[in-house]
Amino acid sequence: MVSFIVCLCSFLLGAAVSAPIGRSPFERSLAWKHATDNEGDIFSDDLCQPVPAEIVASANLTAEESSVLWLVCWNRVVTFDDRPLENGLRRGIPDDVECDRTTWCDDVGVCSEVCSPGTVVISPWLRNAIKSQTSMARTLPLCYAQFLGTHNSAITLANGYGNRDDYFTKLLSLSSLTSAAIETNNQWFSLTDQLNMGARMLELDVHWVKSHLRIAHCGGLHSSVLDDIIKAINVISRLLGKSSIMWDTETFGCSPSLSSIAADDQRLFVDAISEIHAWLWQAENLDEFIIIYLDSQLDLLNWDKLDDLLAEVLAVFPRHVIFTPEDKAKFFDREWPTANQLVANGKRVMFVNRQSFNEDLHRYFFRAGDDGMCGWSEAEVRECFLDRHFQTCQPAMNGTLVRVETCELTYGPLNCEMEFGRNEIPLNKGTLPKILNCGINFPSPDRLTPQRAAAAIWSWASGEPQTTPGARENECAFISADDGRWKAGLCSRINQTPVSCWKTAHNRSNWSVGFEGVCLDGSKPGSPRHAKENEKLHQLLKETGLESMALGGEVAGLLGTEAVVEQ
């Protein structure tokens, strides 16, 4: 029990809304309620009996612990049996996912059922569609490319992050709070499975913890509200006859861990990047290129750990396979290269760092931000649209790289931003297609599954291309006016079907129609290379009243033919 409480108190950290310290329990309660006026009542309507005075006296609580007794429901505490919880198994595999099941257990026997790395079942259609779309994206300069990413990619239950969430949720249910869910894993599956599901931009949270660089979801902040929650859980533990710890949000999230996992169990950074390296050098992935976004904090600079960070990267990825700022300045001074150009020159990976560190590190790592890679910026889902119905997009795909991430973690009544209320709109099956159609470069959802990965497919219709052995060289791709999706058909139709033609190199927004397989007026045959281009072509198709249009250029190459010509 003690280790569970220690772990919970280490990850329940930080909120933007604060209830002032030093007030009476009644005043603190009013402050909490005032802070949540717009979020509904966060307290239970059920009768919550106070802790008897004699129990309080025997518990030897500190003054701070006593100040949160008003959150504790004694009638729930006395009927609580923690034995089934300590031996319980968290379900860490969504119902609609197939994989080889295994268990991840900590050193005190708390376990989660998870998928073995690399075993999540992906349909042949989805696998092919992912391959097609990433192949198209690799033909574009990096500032104009669109790749699926994931948010906090390595904070995954597959590696134990969130393992004790169910236990802590049940402990918190002994309080007067109505919303007591604890969910601290951003992802369900391994980095390998995320890559298999189409993620080509991975985010790694790197911190110095327990004398090592580790994957850890943490940072420094102060929240008196969350301090109250932590103290309440601590008091409940003490009332159950367990030991308590001294802790607050000033030591937020690293050690002990924010992510419902023992600090020593947090994954080593070198192990995480080694897994990415192993995937890149599998035979079927030798044409792939990966962007690794390091969400590291200033602790690495302040504690003089930047040399360690670089040494571990170079121990896994030799200098010659990393695309660096020095490479950019030497070989691609005027514009950014395509991923295909980089792979052709032996480059397989690049690192982008959130923080601006010293110049030695940035010889190897690009910066995010206005002065960094492609003016890298980050936005929320709602910021990408001009209307609340998500129909009109903000300008995007113009050479400034935009990443949208969403977070689905919850800390009792607090959302991922440590504020009362629900999380922002997630990137899911409903919002991913709209974000992609707006031209966002790196949509990065939490909880990527094969179903969410399928929602990121804007090209091939489900089940397409349908081919028979030996027939693919006679097939071409056609975009449908019904839904803008692609289907394969016989190339003999090409002379009877209009074809897609374009003029602008990096941004194919001005499509035109060619007839009898011919593009006129200096235009060229081509295919959409990302969702926004595809949506623009789909709009043209509907405006002209055509039922379908043949696609040339890049997609024809994917099918083994080049049927559309320029004139």
Side-chain angles (χ1 to χ4, degrees):
M1 168 72 82
V2 174
S3 60
F4 300 158
I5 301 303
V6 169
C7 222
L8 178 58
C9 292
S10 53
F11 75 71
L12 277 179
L13 314 166
V17 182
S18 296
I21 297 176
R23 295 183 177 180
S24 69
F26 177 73
E27 290 174 321
R28 291 163 76 93
S29 177
L30 288 180
W32 274 50
K33 290 186 177 184
H34 175 73
T36 58
D37 279 345
N38 296 324
E39 303 297 341
D41 195 354
I42 65 169
F43 297 101
S44 172
D45 292 331
D46 298 338
L47 180 63
C48 191
Q49 298 175 359
V51 181
E54 62 273 17
I55 299 297
V56 173
S58 63
N60 294 318
L61 301 177
T62 66
E64 286 194 344
E65 290 170 337
S66 297
S67 71
V68 295
L69 279 170
W70 61 276
L71 284 172
V72 179
C73 291
W74 179 246
N75 46 310
R76 299 178 188 176
V77 172
V78 294
T79 60
F80 179 68
D81 181 2
D82 67 346
R83 287 175 298 176
L85 299 183
E86 295 190 8
N87 298 317
L89 185 69
R90 183 185 176 193
R91 294 185 59 194
I93 304 173
D95 291 338
D96 51 2
V97 172
E98 297 180 25
C99 65
D100 293 345
R101 297 169 181 260
T102 187
T103 54
W104 192 99
C105 299
D106 61 20
D107 58 0
V108 295
V110 178
C111 300
S112 296
E113 184 180 49
V114 299
C115 291
S116 294
T119 68
V120 172
V121 174
I122 300 169
S123 71
W125 165 77
L126 180 56
R127 194 176 292 274
N128 177 72
I130 290 169
K131 198 73 174 176
S132 293
Q133 287 187 190
T134 54
S135 295
M136 306 287 274
R138 289 198 304 269
T139 68
L140 280 162
L142 291 175
C143 301
Y144 292 89
Q146 187 176 66
F147 293 110
L148 182 65
T150 49
H151 174 231
N152 292 351
S153 311
I155 307 298
T156 172
L157 189 60
N159 294 119
Y161 296 85
N163 180 53
R164 302 177 182 182
D165 283 354
D166 283 359
Y167 179 76
F168 294 139
T169 294
K170 291 177 181 177
L171 269 186
L172 200 55
S173 71
L174 306 182
S175 74
S176 59
L177 297 172
T178 56
S179 177
I182 304 296
E183 297 177 337
T184 63
N185 57 294
N186 294 95
Q187 303 296 333
W188 295 115
F189 308 120
S190 68
L191 295 173
T192 299
D193 285 305
Q194 293 174 50
L195 290 164
N196 288 341
M197 287 186 278
R200 296 296 180 268
M201 193 235 68
L202 298 176
E203 178 183 12
L204 303 183
D205 301 73
V206 188
H207 299 274
W208 185 258
V209 183
K210 295 282 187 175
S211 302
H212 294 283
L213 287 169
R214 297 182 186 270
I215 302 297
H217 189 204
C218 55
L221 61 96
H222 178 77
S223 164
S224 59
V225 170
L226 198 49
D227 282 343
D228 281 352
I229 295 175
I230 294 166
K231 291 171 191 172
I233 295 171
N234 210 4
V235 168
I236 291 169
S237 181
R238 293 281 295 279
L239 295 171
L240 288 170
K242 312 297 181 178
S243 299
S244 64
I245 63 169
M246 298 300 295
W247 194 89
D248 64 18
T249 55
E250 293 295 343
T251 50
F252 172 54
C254 289
S255 178
S257 167
L258 171 70
S259 302
S260 197
I261 183 176
D264 288 337
D265 286 339
Q266 293 177 117
R267 192 177 195 190
L268 295 176
F269 170 65
V270 69
D271 290 346
I273 58 175
S274 294
E275 182 179 352
I276 298 170
H277 181 280
W279 186 89
L280 272 170
W281 266 265
Q282 291 176 6
E284 63 270 27
N285 301 324
L286 293 179
D287 58 349
E288 296 284 4
F289 184 82
I290 300 298
I291 300 169
I292 299 177
Y293 177 47
L294 298 179
D295 189 4
S296 50
Q297 300 297 324
L298 292 174
D299 57 335
L300 301 186
L301 175 63
N302 296 336
W303 298 343
D304 197 25
K305 300 302 178 185
L306 296 180
D307 288 345
D308 297 77
L309 178 66
L310 183 59
E312 293 194 5
V313 167
L314 294 177
V316 175
F317 292 101
R319 165 65 180 83
H320 69 274
V321 305
I322 303 174
F323 176 51
T324 69
E326 289 184 341
D327 296 329
K328 170 69 172 63
K330 184 176 181 180
F331 301 110
F332 305 99
D333 183 41
R334 294 189 176 183
E335 68 174 17
W336 286 83
T338 69
N340 279 348
Q341 288 176 303
L342 293 174
V343 172
N345 285 279
K347 306 297 181 181
R348 306 298 311 284
V349 64
M350 66 183 294
F351 290 85
V352 181
N353 202 63
R354 178 180 180 179
Q355 298 289 344
S356 291
F357 290 136
N358 59 42
E359 291 302 319
D360 286 341
L361 188 71
H362 288 296
R363 292 170 53 209
Y364 298 88
F365 297 173
F366 289 90
R367 293 180 175 92
D370 293 341
D371 61 343
M373 177 189 175
C374 307
W376 180 304
S377 64
E378 306 219 352
E380 296 177 354
V381 170
R382 58 182 172 79
E383 295 173 331
C384 300
F385 299 89
L386 295 172
D387 66 309
R388 61 188 180 89
H389 300 293
F390 302 158
Q391 299 299 319
T392 307
C393 300
Q394 293 276 12
M397 198 56 76
N398 54 15
T400 297
L401 192 150
V402 180
R403 176 178 182 248
V404 171
E405 64 174 48
T406 56
C407 183
E408 298 179 44
L409 306 187
T410 58
Y411 304 91
L414 304 178
N415 61 25
C416 192
E417 298 299 320
M418 299 298 176
E419 298 172 345
F420 288 110
R422 298 179 179 179
N423 284 310
E424 289 287 337
I425 303 161
L427 282 172
N428 54 25
K429 292 186 291 184
T431 56
L432 264 171
K434 295 180 179 181
I435 282 290
L436 287 160
N437 286 348
C438 280
I440 300 305
N441 300 83
F442 300 153
S444 302
D446 267 10
R447 312 284 172 92
L448 183 65
T449 64
Q451 289 68 34
R452 286 192 177 182
I457 299 301
W458 48 265
S459 55
W460 293 109
S462 181
E464 292 285 341
Q466 296 181 5
T467 58
T468 55
R472 177 162 288 191
E473 65 270 15
N474 298 316
E475 290 193 333
C476 293
F478 298 82
I479 181 173
S480 169
D482 291 337
D483 57 6
R485 303 298 284 273
W486 303 354
K487 296 181 180 180
L490 293 176
C491 292
S492 58
R493 292 175 50 199
I494 207 75
N495 292 329
Q496 294 83 40
T497 304
V499 299
S500 58
C501 306
W502 61 274
K503 284 187 177 181
T504 308
H506 293 333
N507 188 1
R508 296 180 184 178
S509 57
N510 296 319
W511 293 98
S512 61
V513 181
F515 294 94
E516 297 183 355
V518 177
C519 291
L520 300 175
D521 300 326
S523 62
K524 299 180 179 181
S527 307
R529 300 158 299 177
H530 55 68
K532 185 176 181 179
E533 289 183 346
N534 194 70
E535 181 59 19
K536 289 289 186 180
L537 182 58
H538 181 215
Q539 290 174 9
L540 173 65
L541 199 57
K542 292 190 294 183
E543 290 168 1
T544 55
L546 298 171
E547 293 183 358
S548 64
M549 184 181 293
L551 300 172
E554 296 85 358
V555 72
L558 293 174
L559 286 169
T561 186
E562 183 68 65
V564 186
V565 299
E566 55 184 298
Q567 179 171 312

Coordinates of all heavy atoms in Angstrom, one line a residue, residues 335-389:
E335 N 16.5 25.4 -49.6 CA 15.1 24.9 -49.2 C 15.3 23.5 -48.5 O 16.4 22.9 -48.6 CB 14.2 24.7 -50.4 CG 14.6 23.7 -51.4 CD 13.5 23.5 -52.5 OE1 12.7 24.4 -52.7 OE2 13.6 22.4 -53.1
W336 N 14.3 23.1 -47.8 CA 14.3 21.9 -47.1 C 14.2 20.7 -48.0 O 13.5 20.7 -49.0 CB 13.2 21.8 -46.1 CG 13.4 22.8 -44.9 CD1 13.2 24.1 -44.9 CD2 14.0 22.4 -43.6 NE1 13.6 24.6 -43.6 CE2 14.1 23.6 -42.9 CE3 14.4 21.2 -43.1 CZ2 14.6 23.6 -41.6 CZ3 14.9 21.2 -41.8 CH2 15.0 22.4 -41.1
P337 N 14.9 19.6 -47.7 CA 14.9 18.4 -48.6 C 13.6 17.6 -48.3 O 12.9 17.9 -47.4 CB 16.1 17.7 -48.1 CG 16.3 18.0 -46.7 CD 15.9 19.5 -46.6
T338 N 13.4 16.7 -49.2 CA 12.4 15.7 -49.0 C 12.9 14.6 -48.2 O 14.2 14.4 -48.1 CB 11.8 15.2 -50.3 OG1 12.9 14.4 -51.0 CG2 11.4 16.3 -51.3
A339 N 12.1 13.8 -47.6 CA 12.5 12.6 -46.8 C 13.2 11.6 -47.8 O 14.1 10.9 -47.4 CB 11.4 12.0 -46.1
N340 N 12.7 11.5 -49.0 CA 13.3 10.6 -50.0 C 14.7 11.0 -50.3 O 15.6 10.2 -50.4 CB 12.5 10.6 -51.3 CG 11.3 9.6 -51.2 OD1 11.2 8.9 -50.2 ND2 10.4 9.7 -52.1
Q341 N 15.0 12.3 -50.4 CA 16.3 12.8 -50.7 C 17.3 12.4 -49.5 O 18.4 12.0 -49.7 CB 16.4 14.3 -50.9 CG 15.8 14.8 -52.2 CD 15.7 16.3 -52.3 OE1 15.1 16.9 -51.4 NE2 16.4 16.9 -53.3
L342 N 16.7 12.6 -48.3 CA 17.5 12.3 -47.1 C 17.9 10.8 -47.0 O 19.0 10.4 -46.8 CB 16.8 12.7 -45.9 CG 16.6 14.2 -45.7 CD1 15.8 14.6 -44.5 CD2 18.0 14.9 -45.6
V343 N 16.8 9.9 -47.3 CA 17.1 8.5 -47.2 C 18.1 8.1 -48.3 O 18.9 7.2 -48.1 CB 15.7 7.7 -47.4 CG1 16.0 6.2 -47.5 CG2 14.8 8.0 -46.2
A344 N 18.0 8.7 -49.5 CA 18.9 8.3 -50.6 C 20.3 8.7 -50.2 O 21.3 8.1 -50.7 CB 18.5 9.1 -51.8
N345 N 20.5 9.6 -49.3 CA 21.8 10.0 -48.8 C 22.2 9.4 -47.5 O 23.1 9.9 -46.8 CB 21.9 11.5 -48.7 CG 22.0 12.2 -50.1 OD1 23.1 12.3 -50.6 ND2 20.9 12.7 -50.6
G346 N 21.4 8.4 -47.1 CA 21.8 7.6 -45.9 C 21.2 8.2 -44.6 O 21.6 7.6 -43.5
K347 N 20.4 9.2 -44.7 CA 19.8 9.8 -43.5 C 18.5 9.1 -43.1 O 17.6 9.0 -44.0 CB 19.6 11.3 -43.7 CG 20.9 12.1 -44.1 CD 22.0 12.0 -43.1 CE 23.2 12.8 -43.5 NZ 24.3 12.8 -42.5
R348 N 18.4 8.7 -41.9 CA 17.2 7.9 -41.5 C 16.3 8.6 -40.4 O 15.2 8.2 -40.2 CB 17.6 6.5 -41.0 CG 18.4 5.7 -42.0 CD 17.7 5.5 -43.3 NE 16.4 5.0 -43.1 CZ 16.1 3.7 -42.8 NH1 17.1 2.8 -42.6 NH2 14.8 3.3 -42.6
V349 N 16.9 9.6 -39.8 CA 16.2 10.2 -38.6 C 16.7 11.6 -38.4 O 17.8 12.0 -38.8 CB 16.6 9.3 -37.3 CG1 18.0 9.3 -37.0 CG2 15.7 9.7 -36.1
M350 N 15.8 12.4 -37.8 CA 16.3 13.7 -37.4 C 15.7 14.0 -36.0 O 14.6 13.4 -35.6 CB 15.8 14.8 -38.3 CG 14.3 15.0 -38.5 SD 13.9 16.2 -39.7 CE 14.5 17.7 -39.0
F351 N 16.3 14.8 -35.2 CA 15.9 15.2 -33.9 C 15.5 16.7 -33.8 O 16.2 17.5 -34.3 CB 16.9 14.9 -32.8 CG 17.2 13.4 -32.6 CD1 18.1 12.7 -33.5 CD2 16.6 12.7 -31.6 CE1 18.3 11.4 -33.3 CE2 16.8 11.4 -31.4 CZ 17.6 10.7 -32.2
V352 N 14.4 17.0 -33.2 CA 13.9 18.3 -33.0 C 13.7 18.5 -31.5 O 13.0 17.7 -30.9 CB 12.6 18.6 -33.8 CG1 12.2 20.1 -33.6 CG2 12.8 18.3 -35.3
N353 N 14.3 19.5 -31.0 CA 14.3 19.7 -29.5 C 13.3 20.9 -29.2 O 13.4 22.0 -29.8 CB 15.6 20.0 -29.0 CG 15.7 19.7 -27.5 OD1 15.6 18.6 -27.1 ND2 16.0 20.7 -26.7
R354 N 12.5 20.7 -28.2 CA 11.6 21.7 -27.8 C 12.3 22.9 -27.2 O 11.9 24.1 -27.5 CB 10.6 21.2 -26.7 CG 9.6 22.2 -26.2 CD 8.7 21.6 -25.2 NE 7.7 22.6 -24.6 CZ 6.8 22.3 -23.8 NH1 6.7 21.0 -23.3 NH2 6.0 23.2 -23.3
Q355 N 13.3 22.7 -26.4 CA 14.0 23.8 -25.7 C 15.2 24.2 -26.6 O 15.8 23.5 -27.3 CB 14.5 23.3 -24.4 CG 13.5 22.9 -23.4 CD 12.7 24.1 -22.9 OE1 13.1 25.3 -23.0 NE2 11.5 23.9 -22.3
S356 N 15.6 25.5 -26.5 CA 16.8 26.0 -27.1 C 17.9 25.8 -26.1 O 18.0 26.5 -25.1 CB 16.6 27.5 -27.5 OG 15.7 27.6 -28.5
F357 N 18.8 24.9 -26.4 CA 20.0 24.6 -25.6 C 21.2 25.3 -26.2 O 21.1 26.2 -27.0 CB 20.1 23.1 -25.4 CG 19.0 22.5 -24.6 CD1 18.4 21.3 -24.9 CD2 18.6 23.1 -23.4 CE1 17.5 20.7 -24.2 CE2 17.6 22.5 -22.6 CZ 17.0 21.3 -23.0
N358 N 22.4 24.7 -25.8 CA 23.6 25.3 -26.3 C 23.9 25.0 -27.8 O 23.3 24.0 -28.3 CB 24.8 24.9 -25.4 CG 25.0 23.4 -25.4 OD1 24.9 22.7 -26.4 ND2 25.3 22.9 -24.2
E359 N 24.8 25.7 -28.4 CA 25.1 25.5 -29.8 C 25.7 24.2 -30.1 O 25.5 23.7 -31.2 CB 26.0 26.7 -30.3 CG 25.3 28.0 -30.3 CD 24.1 28.1 -31.2 OE1 24.1 27.5 -32.3 OE2 23.1 28.7 -30.7
D360 N 26.4 23.6 -29.2 CA 27.0 22.3 -29.4 C 25.9 21.3 -29.7 O 26.0 20.5 -30.6 CB 27.9 21.9 -28.2 CG 29.2 22.6 -28.1 OD1 29.6 23.2 -29.2 OD2 29.8 22.6 -27.1
L361 N 24.9 21.3 -28.9 CA 23.8 20.3 -29.1 C 23.1 20.6 -30.4 O 22.7 19.7 -31.1 CB 22.8 20.4 -27.9 CG 21.7 19.3 -27.9 CD1 22.3 18.0 -27.6 CD2 20.6 19.6 -26.9
H362 N 22.9 21.9 -30.7 CA 22.1 22.2 -31.9 C 23.0 22.1 -33.2 O 22.5 22.5 -34.3 CB 21.5 23.6 -31.8 CG 20.4 23.6 -30.8 ND1 19.2 22.9 -31.0 CD2 20.2 24.2 -29.6 CE1 18.4 23.0 -30.0 NE2 19.0 23.8 -29.1
R363 N 24.1 21.6 -33.1 CA 24.8 21.1 -34.3 C 24.2 19.8 -34.7 O 24.3 19.5 -35.9 CB 26.3 20.9 -34.0 CG 27.1 22.1 -33.7 CD 28.5 21.7 -33.2 NE 29.2 20.8 -34.1 CZ 30.1 19.9 -33.7 NH1 30.4 19.8 -32.4 NH2 30.6 19.1 -34.5
Y364 N 23.5 19.1 -33.8 CA 22.9 17.8 -34.1 C 21.4 17.8 -34.1 O 20.8 17.1 -34.9 CB 23.4 16.8 -33.1 CG 24.9 16.5 -33.1 CD1 25.7 17.3 -32.3 CD2 25.4 15.5 -33.9 CE1 27.1 17.1 -32.3 CE2 26.8 15.3 -33.9 CZ 27.6 16.1 -33.1 OH 29.0 15.9 -33.2
F365 N 20.8 18.7 -33.3 CA 19.4 18.7 -33.1 C 18.8 20.1 -33.7 O 19.4 21.1 -33.4 CB 19.0 18.7 -31.6 CG 19.4 17.4 -30.9 CD1 19.2 17.3 -29.6 CD2 19.9 16.3 -31.6 CE1 19.6 16.1 -28.9 CE2 20.3 15.1 -31.0 CZ 20.1 15.0 -29.6
F366 N 17.7 20.0 -34.4 CA 17.0 21.2 -34.8 C 16.2 21.7 -33.7 O 15.8 21.0 -32.7 CB 16.1 20.9 -36.0 CG 16.8 20.6 -37.3 CD1 17.2 19.3 -37.6 CD2 17.1 21.6 -38.1 CE1 17.8 19.0 -38.8 CE2 17.8 21.3 -39.3 CZ 18.2 20.0 -39.7
R367 N 15.9 23.0 -33.7 CA 15.1 23.6 -32.7 C 13.6 23.6 -33.2 O 13.4 23.7 -34.4 CB 15.5 25.1 -32.5 CG 16.8 25.3 -31.8 CD 17.1 26.8 -31.6 NE 18.3 27.0 -30.9 CZ 19.5 27.2 -31.4 NH1 19.7 27.1 -32.7 NH2 20.6 27.4 -30.7
A368 N 12.7 23.6 -32.3 CA 11.3 23.9 -32.6 C 11.1 25.4 -32.5 O 12.1 26.1 -32.0 CB 10.3 23.2 -31.7
G369 N 10.0 26.0 -32.8 CA 9.7 27.4 -32.6 C 9.9 28.2 -33.9 O 10.3 27.7 -34.9
D370 N 9.7 29.5 -33.7 CA 9.8 30.4 -34.9 C 11.1 30.4 -35.6 O 11.2 30.6 -36.8 CB 9.4 31.9 -34.4 CG 8.0 32.0 -34.0 OD1 7.2 31.1 -34.3 OD2 7.7 33.0 -33.2
D371 N 12.2 30.3 -34.8 CA 13.5 30.3 -35.4 C 14.1 28.9 -35.7 O 15.3 28.7 -35.9 CB 14.5 31.1 -34.5 CG 14.6 30.5 -33.2 OD1 13.8 29.6 -32.8 OD2 15.6 30.8 -32.5
G372 N 13.2 27.9 -35.6 CA 13.6 26.5 -35.7 C 13.2 25.9 -37.0 O 13.0 26.5 -38.0
M373 N 13.0 24.6 -37.0 CA 12.6 23.8 -38.2 C 11.3 24.3 -38.8 O 10.3 24.2 -38.2 CB 12.5 22.3 -37.8 CG 12.1 21.5 -39.0 SD 11.7 19.8 -38.5 CE 11.1 19.1 -40.1
C374 N 11.4 24.9 -39.9 CA 10.2 25.4 -40.7 C 9.3 26.2 -39.9 O 8.1 26.3 -40.1 CB 9.4 24.1 -41.2 SG 10.4 22.9 -42.1
G375 N 9.8 27.0 -38.9 CA 9.0 27.8 -38.0 C 8.0 27.0 -37.2 O 6.9 27.5 -36.9
W376 N 8.4 25.8 -36.8 CA 7.6 24.8 -36.1 C 6.7 25.5 -35.0 O 7.2 26.2 -34.1 CB 8.6 23.8 -35.4 CG 7.9 22.7 -34.6 CD1 7.1 22.8 -33.6 CD2 8.2 21.3 -34.8 NE1 6.8 21.6 -33.1 CE2 7.4 20.6 -33.8 CE3 8.9 20.6 -35.7 CZ2 7.4 19.2 -33.7 CZ3 8.9 19.2 -35.6 CH2 8.2 18.5 -34.6
S377 N 5.4 25.3 -35.1 CA 4.5 25.8 -34.2 C 3.5 24.7 -33.7 O 3.4 23.7 -34.4 CB 3.7 27.0 -34.7 OG 2.9 26.6 -35.8
E378 N 2.9 24.9 -32.6 CA 1.9 23.9 -32.1 C 0.6 24.6 -31.8 O 0.6 25.8 -31.4 CB 2.5 23.3 -30.8 CG 3.9 22.7 -31.0 CD 4.1 21.4 -30.2 OE1 3.2 21.0 -29.4 OE2 5.1 20.8 -30.5
A379 N -0.5 23.9 -32.0 CA -1.8 24.4 -31.9 C -2.8 23.4 -31.3 O -2.5 22.2 -31.3 CB -2.3 24.9 -33.2
E380 N -3.9 23.9 -30.8 CA -5.0 23.0 -30.4 C -6.0 22.8 -31.5 O -6.0 23.6 -32.5 CB -5.7 23.6 -29.2 CG -4.8 23.7 -27.9 CD -5.6 24.4 -26.8 OE1 -6.7 24.8 -27.0 OE2 -5.0 24.4 -25.7
V381 N -6.8 21.8 -31.4 CA -7.7 21.5 -32.5 C -8.6 22.7 -32.9 O -8.7 23.0 -34.0 CB -8.6 20.3 -32.1 CG1 -9.7 20.1 -33.1 CG2 -7.8 19.0 -32.0
R382 N -9.2 23.3 -31.9 CA -10.1 24.4 -32.1 C -9.4 25.6 -32.8 O -10.0 26.4 -33.5 CB -10.8 24.9 -30.9 CG -9.8 25.3 -29.7 CD -10.6 25.7 -28.5 NE -9.7 25.9 -27.4 CZ -9.0 27.0 -27.2 NH1 -9.1 28.0 -28.0 NH2 -8.2 27.2 -26.1
E383 N -8.1 25.7 -32.6 CA -7.3 26.8 -33.2 C -7.1 26.7 -34.7 O -6.6 27.6 -35.3 CB -6.0 27.0 -32.5 CG -6.1 27.4 -31.0 CD -4.8 27.4 -30.3 OE1 -3.9 26.7 -30.6 OE2 -4.6 28.2 -29.3
C384 N -7.4 25.5 -35.2 CA -7.1 25.2 -36.6 C -8.3 25.6 -37.5 O -8.3 25.5 -38.7 CB -6.8 23.8 -36.8 SG -5.3 23.2 -35.9
F385 N -9.4 26.1 -36.9 CA -10.6 26.4 -37.6 C -11.1 27.8 -37.3 O -10.8 28.4 -36.3 CB -11.7 25.4 -37.2 CG -11.4 23.9 -37.5 CD1 -10.7 23.2 -36.6 CD2 -11.7 23.4 -38.8 CE1 -10.4 21.8 -36.9 CE2 -11.4 22.1 -39.1 CZ -10.7 21.3 -38.1
L386 N -11.8 28.3 -38.3 CA -12.4 29.7 -38.1 C -13.8 29.7 -37.6 O -14.4 30.7 -37.3 CB -12.4 30.4 -39.5 CG -11.0 30.7 -40.1 CD1 -11.1 31.2 -41.5 CD2 -10.3 31.7 -39.3
D387 N -14.4 28.5 -37.5 CA -15.8 28.4 -36.9 C -15.9 27.2 -35.9 O -15.0 26.3 -35.9 CB -16.8 28.2 -38.1 CG -16.5 26.8 -38.7 OD1 -15.4 26.5 -39.1 OD2 -17.5 26.0 -38.9
R388 N -16.9 27.3 -35.1 CA -17.0 26.3 -34.0 C -17.5 25.0 -34.5 O -17.5 24.0 -33.8 CB -17.9 26.8 -32.9 CG -19.3 27.1 -33.3 CD -20.0 27.8 -32.2 NE -21.4 28.2 -32.5 CZ -22.5 27.4 -32.3 NH1 -22.3 26.2 -31.7 NH2 -23.7 27.7 -32.6
H389 N -17.9 24.9 -35.8 CA -18.4 23.6 -36.3 C -17.3 22.9 -37.1 O -17.5 21.9 -37.7 CB -19.6 23.9 -37.3 CG -20.8 24.5 -36.6 ND1 -21.5 23.9 -35.6 CD2 -21.3 25.8 -36.7 CE1 -22.5 24.7 -35.2 NE2 -22.4 25.8 -35.8

